[in-house]
Amino acid sequence: MLFRSITSSLIAGLYKLIIPTTAATLNWHFKIFAMAGCLLSSFFLLRTVIPRHVPLRILGFLILTTSGFQLLEPSSDVLSATLLSLFFIAVCRRWPQIVAAFFLATFGLCKVELTLSATVLSLFWFLWEWRQGRSKPYLTVVFTALFLSLYLAPAFVLSGSNPLSSDRSSTAFFSAYRDFMRWHQFQLVPPSEQEAELAMRSTLFRDAPTFRDVLIKHPDLYFDYIGVSAARSLPKIVMVFKFMTIPFLLVVTQVRAIKENKFLLLGTILVCACILLPAWLVIYVRMRYIAKVLPLVIATTIACSLELAQIGRAHV
């Protein structure tokens, strides 16, 4: 089976080559490494997209550091936030495309589900470079695909032609459906988790062993499920973004007015959609999923709010 996080496994291996650790201390070393990387990359992202307003950079950094999400478990979620910030820093600062593609591909393999986000961002990056009239925009996709292939090659060799063959979507869906629904059955004492899932799969979903079968054969049950999933997800999103929720939504509604930070804003919207929508449709949005995009959302909201304020002053 493919590593749940190829990136984390590679970094942990390289870290052990440089700094000797034991099995008991490696996790703590990696937590400190991921936390430091998240804070440093967030600081430089804020410095990149907010070049002049130092107080607002400090405010954005304080919002992130006081959230405590840099201490999340597993550390691969924190590491993915670091790499996502580094990708946007590389693009905004016009670093060589191969460097930005390296950060993007490495971000995409922090978790299997992030591969979709990396692919969509790569295509959006190509379109952006092409529309800006920059030379060789196709290299954005070529370099990203090259790094993804290099990372995945050992998995294909060890696991055959389909290293992603484990049906994680079905496992996630059925466990979430069990947790959502078993407390609402007409029983005085709900069964245990294992008993509830076995009973559910042998009755409601006896003809739908996979998530795909559920979508085809039981769309009514699935629509009920995503309604409950939305009710679970929305409070988590508000709890993470807190008072940044409304400013970010207001900035999104003004996307046509944004010019200087348009790549940053559109890229943020895309990556949020690619991370949060699949989570909502398959399981539900957990707080650690949102933490992957928190530094990017904070930086984007402040940078775009400043640009909108400048546009407003210019029209007064």
Side-chain angles (χ1 to χ4, degrees):
M1 188 176 114
L2 188 67
F3 286 116
R4 288 195 174 187
S5 174
I6 292 178
T7 300
S8 299
S9 301
L10 289 174
I11 292 177
L14 291 172
Y15 187 88
K16 289 177 68 175
L17 291 175
I18 300 172
I19 302 176
T21 60
T22 63
T25 60
L26 177 60
N27 185 54
W28 290 104
H29 280 249
F30 198 80
K31 280 175 65 70
I32 295 170
F33 176 82
M35 178 190 68
C38 180
L39 294 177
L40 285 173
S41 64
S42 301
F43 172 79
F44 285 108
L45 177 63
L46 289 165
R47 187 174 180 181
T48 299
V49 301
I50 311 170
R52 290 178 292 275
H53 295 76
V54 177
L56 288 177
R57 288 209 304 258
I58 295 173
L59 175 63
F61 193 65
L62 284 174
I63 293 172
L64 177 67
T65 53
T66 55
S67 70
F69 287 111
Q70 65 273 15
L71 302 173
L72 274 177
E73 284 280 7
S75 298
S76 55
D77 290 312
V78 182
L79 188 62
S80 63
T82 300
L83 292 163
L84 184 61
S85 297
L86 289 173
F87 165 71
F88 278 94
I89 291 171
V91 175
C92 293
R93 288 182 176 268
R94 303 297 303 155
W95 289 355
Q97 292 173 331
I98 193 170
V99 176
F102 169 76
F103 290 137
L104 181 58
T106 311
F107 159 77
L109 293 175
C110 280
K111 289 292 185 69
V112 173
E113 56 268 22
L114 293 180
T115 307
L116 172 64
S117 303
T119 304
V120 172
L121 271 179
S122 175
L123 294 173
F124 168 65
W125 183 23
F126 160 72
L127 291 173
W128 179 264
E129 295 283 307
W130 175 65
R131 291 196 64 179
Q132 296 298 310
R134 290 166 183 160
S135 62
K136 300 179 180 179
Y138 59 87
L139 289 179
T140 58
V141 177
V142 171
F143 285 140
T144 305
L146 176 63
F147 282 119
L148 285 172
S149 300
L150 289 175
Y151 284 139
L152 289 173
F156 279 98
V157 172
L158 294 174
S159 301
S161 59
N162 188 14
L164 300 174
S165 57
S166 59
D167 193 1
R168 294 186 63 192
S169 59
S170 297
T171 304
F173 169 77
F174 285 120
S175 63
Y177 193 97
R178 173 203 67 203
D179 292 340
F180 289 170
M181 304 301 183
R182 76 187 184 99
W183 299 102
H184 303 284
Q185 306 304 313
F186 293 99
Q187 300 181 40
L188 293 177
V189 180
S192 65
E193 292 182 355
Q194 294 77 11
E195 292 173 340
E197 185 166 346
L198 286 173
M200 175 190 71
R201 299 187 75 161
S202 62
T203 54
L204 288 176
F205 302 111
R206 59 183 178 275
D207 58 342
T210 66
F211 179 63
R212 180 183 177 183
D213 293 330
V214 172
L215 295 178
I216 296 172
K217 299 179 181 179
H218 299 284
D220 52 338
L221 294 176
Y222 177 68
F223 286 130
D224 292 341
Y225 168 80
I226 61 175
V228 179
S229 176
R232 287 284 189 98
S233 300
L234 289 175
K236 298 288 191 303
I237 295 173
V238 175
M239 285 174 64
V240 172
F241 291 139
K242 296 183 175 65
F243 58 85
M244 294 295 292
T245 307
I246 295 176
F248 179 64
L249 292 176
L250 290 175
V251 163
V252 170
T253 61
Q254 298 297 317
V255 63
R256 291 187 178 182
I258 299 295
K259 302 298 181 185
E260 183 180 349
N261 294 293
K262 179 153 293 209
F263 176 84
L264 180 68
L265 178 57
L266 291 177
T268 302
I269 294 171
L270 280 176
V271 75
C272 287
C274 290
I275 290 175
L276 302 183
L277 280 178
W280 166 50
L281 295 174
V282 177
I283 178 169
Y284 67 95
V285 178
R286 294 175 174 171
M287 295 178 71
R288 62 186 179 88
Y289 299 164
I290 315 167
K292 297 171 185 174
V293 298
L294 181 61
L296 182 61
V297 168
I298 292 173
T300 300
T301 303
I302 296 175
C304 292
S305 297
L306 279 172
E307 184 176 344
L308 289 172
Q310 292 170 357
I311 293 172
R313 285 196 294 268
H315 286 82
V316 172

